[in-house]
Amino acid sequence: GEDNSSDARCFRGTLEPDGSDPWSHAGFENAFCFKHRCDANNLIEFEINGVWYECPELGGAVAVDGFTGHVTCPHQMILCPANCP
């Protein structure tokens, strides 16, 4: 689920729980707040339901177990700026 702690940041995405009725605006990106961190390679990771997912270095879509749709990650320099390409 979402998180509103000081470690949380907003991500865009199209997530819907598997098996749920589609939202009337399905396919459009919404804002979600997830706990995030920078990993040992300085890539963004975000946490949903106790599972950490790694973002691509240049940003992009990441699938999440138990959901249809995706989370759209920003470029790593947005949240983890050290050692950016």
Side-chain angles (χ1 to χ4, degrees):
E2 293 191 73
D3 187 291
N4 64 356
S5 69
S6 62
D7 293 332
R9 295 294 179 267
C10 290
F11 290 81
R12 294 179 304 152
T14 59
L15 293 183
E16 293 185 34
D18 284 345
S20 67
D21 291 331
W23 295 2
S24 61
H25 52 287
F28 292 97
E29 288 196 326
N30 295 296
F32 300 94
C33 295
F34 303 121
K35 188 177 288 187
H36 91 291
R37 65 185 180 193
C38 300
D39 72 7
N41 296 315
N42 214 48
L43 296 176
I44 301 166
E45 293 183 329
F46 61 92
E47 186 260 341
I48 297 178
N49 296 335
V51 178
W52 287 91
Y53 296 87
E54 186 176 88
C55 292
E57 186 174 352
L58 301 178
V62 175
V64 175
D65 296 335
F67 292 85
T68 58
H70 64 272
V71 171
T72 303
C73 294
H75 189 289
Q76 82 178 80
M77 73 177 203
I78 303 296
L79 298 177
C80 301
N83 303 319
C84 283

